[in-house]
Amino acid sequence: MNKTILWRFGLIAVVAAICLWSALPLDKKINLGLDLQGGMHLVYEVDADKAVVSSLDSEMDSLRRHMESKGVVVSSIGRDGENVRVSLPGSAQSADAEKNIGDFGAFEVTGKEDGGSTISIAYTADYRKTVADNAIDQALETLRNRVDQFGVAEPTIQREGDNRILIQLPGVQDRDRAMNLIGKTARLEFRMVNDQFAPQEALERGVPSDSELLYERKLDPITKRVLEKIPYLVKKKADMTGVLVSNARVQVNEMNMPYVSVDFNRDGARIFGDLTTASVGKRMAIVLDGNVHSAPVIREPITGGTAMIEGNFSYEEAKDLAIVLRAGALPAPLIKLEERSVGPSLGADSIRHGVMSAMIGGALVVLFMLVYYKFGGLIANVALVFNIIILLGAMAYFGATLTLPGIAGVILTIGIAVDANVLVFERIREELSLGKTVRTAVELGFSRAFLTILDTHVTTIVAAVVLFQFGTGPIKGFAITLCIGIVASIFTAVFVSRTFFLWYLASRRVAKLSI
C-alpha cells in the first residue's frame, strides 16, 4: 500500500474514531427534541401595557426629582392608566414645567387644565415602544434563567413576532410545576403594615389612600385549596423590592418546614438594615405577586443582609420560589396563548416509526446499489455508513437536538449521499464505454463529477442555511441535520469512496471494473 493511500485511510480512521467517540452512547450524547421524548409546548404573550404602566410608576419619581432639581415645584404627580397628571402650585411655572418635561426625553404633553397648573403627559410613541421591547427582552432573559435553573436540557425559548414568546421544554411532564415556575411574575416587595387601622375597620370605614388590603392565603398542603384568607392593611408603596436580592435558597426550620432564605446585595443589605432599624416594633409584610407570605413583627434591627420567606410550602414549591427569586421578576405578566403537551408514549411511537422508516429506506437503497452497481455499490454503501457515523458524531459534538424533522433530514441525507456516488459511477461508466482503462476511467470519473457534486451540495446547503435562519423549532432541527449531512456527503463521496477505489486498483491488476 503506497503512502498516499495509507494517509488517506489514516485520515478516514481518525475521523471515524472521533465521530464514534463523540456520538456513543447515542442515548446520552444525542438530545431528543420535544416531539421525540415528550414535553411541553407553550406560547405566551407579554402584557406590554402592564410593562408600560409599571415603567411609568418608576419614572414618575425620577421625573419629579428632575423637575425639582431645575427649580420647578411639583405639588403632586399621579397616574391614571398610561396618563400622568403633574400638578403645580399655580400656572406661573407651567412653561418651565413643560420645558423640563420635554428635556426629560420620555414624555410628551397631552393636555393642560386649570390654566396650565395641571399638565397631562404620556410616553412618546417611540419611548413606549422601547419600553415594550425592553420588557419582552427582559422576560426572555428571565425565563431562560428560570428554565436553566429548573434543569431542563435543550429548551427552546425564543421571541415570536412583536410580543410573543415560544417555550418548548423537552422531557418535562410535571405540567403544574412548570406552569407555576414560568408564569409567576415573582415581584417581591417589602411593605410596612398600616397599624393605624385594623383590616376589618379599614373595610368598614374605607381604605386609606396610601394603603391597600392584601391577603395571606392559607392553603391545604395536599389539595392546595385555599382554607383561609387573612387580610392585611399594607402601605401601597414598597419600601424595598426583590431587585436587590443577590441569592435565594431553601432551608428548613426547627419544625422541619422548608422556607426560602433571601440574601441581599450590598445596597440591599444597607437599605434593609436601615429600614428594620427605623421600624423596630412594627410589622413588615413580605409580599410576592400581590399576596402576603408573612408579616412578622420586627423585634430588632436586621443588619446581616438576609431575610426569610415563610409559607405553607412543600420542598419543591420552596425550591421553585428560590429559583424565580434568583432569576429575577418578570417585567410584566405573561398571558398564556397556547399550551400543548406531548406525552412520552407519543414520542416513543415517533422514534419507533422514524427509526423504522430510516431502516427500511436505508435497506432499500443499500440493496439497489448492490444490485445495480455491484462492486461500486458496495463501496457506496461503505461510504454511506461513514456518512451516518460522521452525521451522528457532528450532531453530538455541536449539541444538536434530534427531532422528527431531524430524522427526515437523516433520511434525505442518505439519499443525497448515494446520489453523489451515482454521479461518480455514471461518469466512470461513460469513460469506460469510451474505451478508457479502469484506472483512467476512475480518475476522470471522480474529477469530472466533483464540480457537479459540489454545485448540488452547495445549493442545498444554501437552502438549509435559509431554513435555519428563518425557521423555528423543528425546522431548525431539520436544517442542522441537513447541513451536517451534506458536508459529510461531500467528504464520503469524494474522499472515502475514491480512497477505496484507489486501494482496490493498487492492490491488484484490474482489467474490468464491476460497476
Side-chain angles (χ1 to χ4, degrees):
M1 187 181 300
N2 63 46
K3 289 184 179 179
T4 301
I5 297 175
L6 196 60
W7 78 257
R8 278 175 167 266
F9 273 120
L11 179 61
I12 293 170
V14 169
V15 171
I18 292 174
C19 291
L20 285 172
W21 173 79
S22 177
L24 296 176
L26 288 175
D27 58 338
K28 290 184 171 58
K29 298 290 185 67
I30 301 289
N31 300 311
L32 299 181
L34 183 72
D35 50 356
L36 293 181
Q37 65 168 314
M40 297 187 66
H41 170 99
L42 302 161
V43 178
Y44 281 96
E45 181 178 282
V46 178
D47 192 341
D49 292 342
K50 292 285 179 60
V52 171
V53 168
S54 178
S55 173
L56 278 171
D57 288 339
S58 61
E59 291 279 19
M60 283 193 299
D61 285 342
S62 299
L63 179 62
R64 174 195 281 272
R65 288 195 296 273
H66 170 74
M67 295 177 71
E68 290 178 347
S69 69
K70 301 296 183 182
V72 178
V73 178
V74 177
S75 298
S76 65
I77 183 167
R79 180 181 57 77
D80 180 16
E82 293 192 17
N83 291 313
V84 176
R85 291 165 62 88
V86 181
S87 297
L88 307 172
S91 59
Q93 288 189 308
S94 177
D96 285 345
E98 284 189 50
K99 179 179 182 305
N100 283 288
I101 289 170
D103 292 344
F104 193 74
F107 295 99
E108 61 183 356
V109 177
T110 57
K112 290 189 287 187
E113 299 174 21
D114 302 329
S117 60
T118 300
I119 303 173
S120 297
I121 61 176
Y123 275 151
T124 63
D126 289 344
Y127 194 79
R128 189 188 188 285
K129 184 175 186 304
T130 300
V131 169
D133 285 343
N134 290 343
I136 296 168
D137 291 340
Q138 186 182 339
L140 273 171
E141 188 62 30
T142 301
L143 290 173
R144 286 195 184 103
N145 288 337
R146 290 183 183 181
V147 171
D148 285 347
Q149 296 187 39
F150 191 52
V152 179
E154 296 299 319
T156 299
I157 303 171
Q158 60 191 30
R159 184 171 179 169
E160 283 198 333
D162 291 335
N163 58 350
R164 294 186 177 184
I165 295 176
L166 167 71
I167 303 172
Q168 291 186 336
L169 306 175
V172 171
Q173 301 301 326
D174 190 342
R175 171 193 176 277
D176 292 339
R177 189 181 172 199
M179 298 291 289
N180 185 53
L181 181 80
I182 292 170
K184 190 187 287 292
T185 305
R187 180 173 174 77
L188 178 64
E189 298 171 308
F190 296 87
R191 302 199 210 177
M192 299 309 299
V193 175
N194 187 343
D195 289 324
Q196 290 182 319
F197 303 96
Q200 191 58 40
E201 186 181 0
L203 281 173
E204 294 171 356
R205 297 175 53 180
V207 177
S209 60
D210 64 341
S211 304
E212 64 179 326
L213 274 173
L214 298 180
Y215 294 86
E216 179 183 359
R217 297 182 303 167
K218 298 289 187 183
L219 304 179
D220 185 293
I222 299 175
T223 64
K224 300 304 175 187
R225 188 168 60 87
V226 178
L227 300 176
E228 184 183 8
K229 294 174 69 175
I230 304 172
Y232 290 92
L233 185 64
V234 300
K235 296 289 185 181
K236 274 186 178 177
K237 185 174 181 181
D239 296 278
M240 192 172 162
T241 68
V243 174
L244 301 173
V245 169
S246 64
N247 192 19
R249 58 188 181 280
V250 180
Q251 294 191 330
V252 180
N253 61 19
E254 61 275 8
M255 301 294 291
N256 205 30
M257 294 293 293
Y259 68 91
V260 178
S261 176
V262 175
D263 295 336
F264 299 112
N265 59 23
R266 182 182 299 176
D267 289 340
R270 178 181 54 77
I271 294 171
F272 196 67
D274 294 344
L275 178 64
T276 53
T277 301
S279 307
V280 171
K282 299 179 181 178
R283 304 183 76 184
M284 176 187 284
I286 300 174
V287 181
L288 184 69
D289 290 344
N291 295 310
V292 176
H293 270 259
S294 58
V297 176
I298 301 173
R299 303 290 183 192
E300 57 185 14
I302 304 173
T303 57
T306 61
M308 45 192 274
I309 302 175
E310 294 180 310
N312 198 13
F313 298 128
S314 66
Y315 187 84
E316 292 297 328
E317 289 169 339
K319 183 180 175 184
D320 290 347
L321 177 58
I323 288 175
V324 298
L325 290 177
R326 285 198 301 270
L330 290 170
L334 298 179
I335 302 169
K336 187 174 68 177
L337 300 179
E338 183 181 349
E339 176 193 346
R340 283 191 283 118
S341 294
V342 181
S345 58
L346 180 59
D349 287 343
S350 300
I351 294 174
R352 187 165 55 252
H353 291 151
V355 171
M356 183 66 72
S357 302
M359 290 179 65
I360 293 174
L364 290 175
V365 168
V366 167
L367 186 62
F368 171 80
M369 293 300 288
L370 282 175
V371 171
Y372 195 73
Y373 290 105
K374 301 178 178 64
F375 176 75
L378 176 63
I379 292 181
N381 291 335
V382 173
L384 183 61
V385 172
F386 277 101
N387 188 294
I388 294 173
I389 291 173
I390 294 171
L391 176 62
L392 294 176
M395 288 185 66
Y397 179 79
F398 290 112
T401 299
L402 183 62
T403 61
L404 207 53
I407 293 178
V410 172
I411 297 172
L412 181 58
T413 298
I414 292 174
I416 292 173
V418 171
D419 188 50
N421 280 286
V422 168
L423 285 173
V424 174
F425 296 164
E426 291 301 322
R427 291 285 187 278
I428 293 175
R429 279 183 167 184
E430 289 176 6
E431 300 301 330
L432 290 173
S433 67
L434 294 175
K436 305 285 177 58
T437 64
V438 171
R439 185 178 298 275
T440 303
V442 169
E443 290 292 335
L444 291 174
F446 274 101
S447 61
R448 291 179 177 174
F450 175 72
L451 287 179
T452 306
I453 294 171
L454 195 61
D455 286 346
T456 56
H457 283 55
V458 168
T459 52
T460 308
I461 284 181
V462 170
V465 169
V466 172
L467 281 178
F468 180 81
Q469 182 66 32
F470 298 103
T472 59
I475 301 298
K476 283 196 172 188
F478 173 80
I480 291 173
T481 307
L482 192 57
C483 280
I484 296 173
I486 290 171
V487 173
S489 172
I490 294 176
F491 177 74
T492 55
V494 175
F495 190 85
V496 176
S497 295
R498 188 170 189 170
T499 300
F500 277 96
F501 270 108
L502 292 176
W503 167 76
Y504 178 70
L505 296 176
S507 60
R508 65 199 68 194
R509 294 177 61 85
V510 180
K512 183 178 180 183
L513 187 63
S514 175
I515 192 170

